[in-house]
């Protein structure tokens, strides 16, 4: 497969909510020794940093895990939750720890490799969740602190969504009023959206 051209740094300097929407339709690519796998981003969630009770960086919480969130926009923030690795796009700029969680992708390249990694034969469930997509694409904690502007993990231009839906984020019921913020974005009726 011919290598795609990663999006420039400037793309990641958009305001967080705009970036979360702009990422829809972009192609998430991971190159590994076993091959390249990719998928169109079909679902995202925005996390607006210190003022957002659902964000890991709420109240400017700076830990070993969240350190990269205080770095350059376009950096890769991976973390483990319930044994699953999740991947986020850092945004907001230096010392403004905001991020966009990539929740689901539509498989494009390396589908057989994805099936092998996931141990499933059902296309629809292959990448329809934040833990599923990282396992399928081969995204791990080793990607933490890298940048989406260059291989092995990067984002390129993709498709333009026909319609985008907006609603509350998932799995953050204990975050007060932040639980109802309409900061989840997804490509309407895409079968790979997590729910």
């Amino acid at each position: 497969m011919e290598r795609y051209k990663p999006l420039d740094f400037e793309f990641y300097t958009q305001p967080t909510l705009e970036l979360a929407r702009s990422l829809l339709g972009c192609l998430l690519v991971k190159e590994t020794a076993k091959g390249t796998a990719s998928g169109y981003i079909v679902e995202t969630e925005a996390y607006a940093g210190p003022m957002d009770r659902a964000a890991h960086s709420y109240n400017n919480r700076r830990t070993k895990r969240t350190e990269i969130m205080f770095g350059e926009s376009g950096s890769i923030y991976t973390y483990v939750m319930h044994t699953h690795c999740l991947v986020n796009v850092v945004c907001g700029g230096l010392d403004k720890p905001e991020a966009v969680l990539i929740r689901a992708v539509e498989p494009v390249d390396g589908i057989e490799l994805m099936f092998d990694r996931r141990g499933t034969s059902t296309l629809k469930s292959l990448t329809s969740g934040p833990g599923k997509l990282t396992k399928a694409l081969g995204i791990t904690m080793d990607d933490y602190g890298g940048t989406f502007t260059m291989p092995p993990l990067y984002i390129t231009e993709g498709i333009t969504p026909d319609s985008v839906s907006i609603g509350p984020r998932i799995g953050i019921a204990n975050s007060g009023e932040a639980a109802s913020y309409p900061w989840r974005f997804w490509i309407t009726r895409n079968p790979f959206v997590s729910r």
Side-chain angles (χ1 to χ4, degrees):
M1 182 190 85
E2 183 178 339
R3 180 177 283 175
Y4 296 98
K5 182 181 184 296
L7 292 169
D8 294 332
F9 168 76
E10 285 72 25
F11 175 80
Y12 301 101
T13 62
Q14 300 178 63
T16 302
L17 293 177
E18 290 178 26
L19 178 64
R21 189 175 180 135
S22 295
L23 282 165
L24 295 177
C26 290
L27 189 68
L28 179 65
V29 184
K30 177 65 189 284
E31 298 176 2
T32 68
K34 289 187 176 180
T36 298
S38 69
Y40 294 123
I41 298 171
V42 298
E43 183 181 4
T44 61
E45 287 180 345
Y47 289 88
M51 305 307 292
D52 179 1
R53 285 185 60 184
H56 291 170
S57 55
Y58 176 61
N59 271 343
N60 272 314
R61 196 171 343 167
R62 196 164 189 155
T63 65
K64 184 177 179 183
R65 178 171 86 160
T66 64
E67 184 61 32
I68 192 62
M69 293 183 73
F70 292 81
E72 291 275 5
S73 296
S75 296
I76 299 167
Y77 173 37
T78 50
Y79 65 91
V80 174
M81 177 174 282
H82 308 305
T83 74
H84 298 292
C85 178
L86 278 60
V87 64
N88 298 256
V89 180
V90 172
C91 48
L94 284 174
D95 294 320
K96 296 178 78 178
E98 303 183 10
V100 175
L101 171 67
I102 300 175
R103 278 199 61 89
V105 302
E106 177 180 331
V108 176
D109 296 303
I111 293 176
E112 288 306 315
L113 179 57
M114 292 190 213
F115 278 133
D116 184 55
R117 285 173 172 153
R118 286 271 289 113
T120 182
S121 58
T122 308
L123 183 65
K124 191 171 181 179
S125 69
L126 193 59
T127 54
S128 58
K132 294 177 182 180
L133 77 89
T134 53
K135 187 167 185 181
L137 270 62
I139 297 169
T140 70
M141 286 302 298
D142 289 340
D143 292 303
Y144 179 97
T147 175
F148 283 105
T149 60
M150 67 179 65
L153 177 58
Y154 55 100
I155 296 172
T156 76
E157 289 184 355
I159 57 173
T160 302
D162 288 332
S163 177
V164 172
S165 295
I166 302 170
R169 296 169 293 182
I170 295 170
I172 56 165
N174 61 349
S175 57
E177 74 284 351
S180 63
Y181 295 167
W183 290 355
R184 175 176 163 246
F185 304 85
W186 66 96
I187 296 179
T188 309
R189 291 180 296 278
N190 187 283
F192 294 94
V193 169
S194 64
R195 64 174 78 168

